[in-house]
Amino acid sequence: MPRLVRFTRLTRLPLLGCLLALLLPLPALAQAPDGEWQAYQTALNEGARHANLWQASWTTIYAGSLALNAWQASEASDRDDRYDARVGVVKSALALGGMFLDRQPHPAAARELSAGEPGDVSGARALLESVAAEEQRRRSLEARLGSLAVNTAAGLLIAVGDGRERDGAINFATGMLINELQLQTQPRQATAAINRFQPARVSLGDLHLEGEYALLVGPNQLGVALRY
């Protein structure tokens, strides 16, 4: 089991002191494995809360947009507004359906961890890594292709089908901006927890240490954690 050493309040130490802290791990400061498991559980629980809030917020936004567009499609006094609203109905319906069909993985992962064996660090880390990979996939170029196709089609319908190039371009840009905002507000607690530690290798003569390090930043202090 890796050992975790924490060095804090290094703000006033010279650079040499920081390097020595990295090179001289102190076993007395090692963190128990239960602490690492608890950190993974906290990350998943916080991710689940964020995911539920994100789900409720964007579902409400798209449901409201669908209702407004449906009303404007038949009641708006301007002919262009009615046409744009009909396009908006399709876009909002697709987005709302996506909210129900493509759920965030954090709530299910948090339940799985709670149902598993407490203190199983390797299992918890594997679960966190799978959630982190899903977080990254949801922010990848692939995750933007669906929105790109829908907004391109909507923009072309207005620009080419209805002869309003400027309005079509605005519709496309607005749709892509809203989708990007949706992607960027997704939970990323698992990625943050996994990326907390980075690989490290330190050599001092014949002594070679391999492990992981993390920077610990807080108010008026800077620290280093070394896991080996």
Side-chain angles (χ1 to χ4, degrees):
M1 182 62 61
R3 306 176 70 180
L4 179 65
V5 179
R6 296 168 61 94
F7 303 93
T8 58
R9 305 198 66 81
L10 299 179
T11 306
R12 297 183 176 86
L13 291 180
L15 178 61
L16 179 59
C18 294
L19 293 176
L20 288 176
L22 282 173
L23 293 173
L24 299 175
L26 302 177
L29 298 178
Q31 177 176 304
D34 288 346
E36 187 175 358
W37 185 88
Q38 184 64 43
Y40 294 154
Q41 184 186 46
T42 299
L44 286 178
N45 287 340
E46 290 179 354
R49 286 191 292 270
H50 186 166
N52 290 332
L53 177 61
W54 180 89
Q55 180 80 24
S57 300
W58 283 102
T59 298
T60 301
I61 290 172
Y62 289 132
S65 176
L66 177 59
L68 179 60
N69 281 315
W71 180 83
Q72 287 185 325
S74 61
E75 302 299 329
S77 57
D78 185 78
R79 179 260 176 199
D80 291 346
D81 289 342
R82 291 196 300 272
Y83 187 93
D84 292 352
R86 287 194 291 271
V87 175
V89 165
V90 177
K91 290 174 60 175
S92 297
L94 290 173
L96 185 60
M99 296 302 300
F100 290 107
L101 296 176
D102 190 19
R103 298 275 186 168
Q104 294 286 336
H106 306 77
R111 290 192 297 268
E112 181 179 344
L113 183 64
S114 297
E117 180 182 353
D120 181 8
V121 176
S122 60
R125 185 174 180 85
L127 182 60
L128 200 71
E129 287 175 346
S130 68
V131 176
E134 179 64 12
E135 287 180 352
Q136 295 171 13
R137 185 195 68 80
R138 287 171 174 267
R139 288 183 171 83
S140 65
L141 176 61
E142 178 186 351
R144 294 169 170 84
L145 294 180
S147 175
L148 178 63
V150 171
N151 286 299
T152 298
L156 289 175
L157 280 173
I158 297 173
V160 179
D162 204 43
R164 292 180 290 126
E165 291 83 0
R166 182 175 181 273
D167 290 345
I170 292 175
N171 186 282
F172 169 80
T174 302
M176 293 303 297
L177 180 62
I178 292 174
N179 180 74
E180 188 64 25
L181 182 61
Q182 176 189 337
L183 293 182
Q184 294 303 324
T185 54
Q186 293 180 111
R188 60 180 74 199
Q189 282 83 356
T191 300
I194 289 296
N195 289 341
R196 180 183 175 186
F197 286 93
Q198 301 295 333
R201 181 174 182 177
V202 179
S203 297
L204 184 63
D206 294 332
L207 177 64
H208 301 283
L209 296 177
E210 293 187 6
E212 298 174 311
Y213 75 93
L215 297 178
L216 310 174
V217 181
N220 301 319
Q221 75 173 28
L222 173 65
V224 178
L226 180 63
R227 182 164 63 186
Y228 64 97

